[in-house]
Amino acid sequence: MPLPRSRGRRLAPLLAAAPLLAAALLLATPASARDFLSRAVTPLAPPSPLANRLTHLAPTADPQVLRLAAQALSCADPGAERLAVIDFSLPSTEQRLWVFDLVRDRLMFRELVSHGQGSGDAMASEFSNVPESHQSSIGLFRTLNSYEGSNGYSLRLEGLEPGINDQAFQRAIVMHGADYVSEAFIERTGRLGRSHGCPAVREEIAVPLIDSLKESQYLFTYYPDPEWLADSAFLRCPRDDRQLASVTR
């Protein structure tokens, strides 16, 4: 039955404003609620066999994050041997880096990892692809070569997502060890030290961790950013158009 004219006139402005109200709600809610809302508007396929494997190997990790990581990797390179996942929605005081050996089905590392100075204190909330921002970047990366640099043994990263992390190489965003990534630093300051945007790890495990990931393996870094979740090609990969990453090689 059609609405009375007067009620229809009153509802029309509300309906027109609905998208703006939804966006305002997403931005105004606390981080935990934004996380829920961003996932609610980002439909996921049923868990894949890879997602189930990752969840089994890392039961302390958020299964939704691992599902997204599995989705991105399956899109980029289904034959990849190693995958690292960072959950930047967790504070730096928690072990939020996982490294998986996909050939032997094992979890190799579960570790502390830093974020950039410009991204926040204990909690990261700002991310950038811009040089000199000193912010971390989210999304899918391919690993390149290891080298000895100003931060010691380091791993170059290639960002695969245009406008999101594709300036990582130019920004010298690399994985390296740092003395400010330790339980002792957390005890003194209440958080890890922060980098210029690099995912820094404990000095004691930097060499074996980097060696496990170098040369065309993958790093997936997560934060519940609604725009990235909605637009990432690696999270929206058509089933008949796999290996998006291969076209950028």
Side-chain angles (χ1 to χ4, degrees):
M1 184 174 66
L3 290 171
R5 266 188 169 175
S6 59
R7 185 185 293 181
R9 285 196 297 269
R10 289 197 300 270
L11 284 176
L14 291 175
L15 293 172
L20 295 176
L21 291 171
L25 176 62
L26 190 62
L27 294 172
T29 49
S32 59
R34 287 203 305 274
D35 194 359
F36 171 79
L37 286 170
S38 64
R39 288 174 182 167
V41 299
T42 307
L44 290 172
S48 65
L50 176 56
N52 288 332
R53 287 164 58 198
L54 298 181
T55 302
H56 174 73
L57 294 171
T60 62
D62 185 334
Q64 299 283 33
V65 173
L66 296 181
R67 285 175 70 180
L68 289 170
Q71 219 167 307
L73 184 65
S74 296
C75 184
D77 186 353
E81 298 179 354
R82 303 277 169 83
L83 170 66
V85 178
I86 297 174
D87 184 353
F88 278 134
S89 71
L90 297 174
S92 65
T93 52
E94 295 189 26
Q95 293 176 322
R96 54 184 181 169
L97 164 65
W98 295 263
V99 179
F100 300 92
D101 181 338
L102 303 177
V103 175
R104 294 175 177 82
D105 256 359
R106 64 189 179 112
L107 178 65
M108 301 183 70
F109 298 93
R110 178 188 171 203
E111 283 291 331
L112 297 168
V113 63
S114 72
H115 55 253
Q117 295 171 355
S119 288
D121 291 325
M123 294 292 299
S125 59
E126 300 291 334
F127 300 88
S128 177
N129 194 35
V130 177
E132 305 305 322
S133 66
H134 292 181
Q135 293 182 13
S136 298
S137 296
I138 54 177
L140 187 67
F141 300 78
R142 185 190 294 119
T143 66
L144 301 175
N145 61 297
S146 59
Y147 69 99
E148 286 285 347
S150 59
N151 290 304
Y153 195 56
S154 304
L155 176 65
R156 290 189 172 96
L157 300 171
E158 177 189 13
L160 299 177
E161 305 209 35
I164 299 296
N165 62 22
D166 62 341
Q167 293 299 306
F169 186 87
Q170 290 79 0
R171 294 176 62 202
I173 300 301
V174 301
M175 184 172 281
H176 62 81
D179 60 3
Y180 53 76
V181 180
S182 69
E183 294 291 350
F185 197 97
I186 292 172
E187 289 175 11
R188 291 198 307 272
T189 66
R191 59 167 172 79
L192 287 185
R194 297 165 299 163
S195 66
H196 285 180
C198 297
V201 298
R202 292 189 300 125
E203 290 180 315
E204 296 87 341
I205 54 87
V207 172
L209 193 153
I210 286 170
D211 281 345
S212 75
L213 284 173
K214 65 182 180 181
E215 306 294 351
S216 297
Q217 304 307 320
Y218 291 87
L219 167 66
F220 180 81
T221 62
Y222 169 82
Y223 185 78
D225 179 274
E227 186 174 350
W228 167 65
L229 288 169
D231 295 343
S232 171
F234 291 100
L235 301 180
R236 291 288 178 277
C237 189
R239 292 184 180 276
D240 58 350
D241 187 21
R242 298 296 188 185
Q243 299 187 52
L244 280 183
S246 64
V247 302
T248 67
R249 289 182 178 176

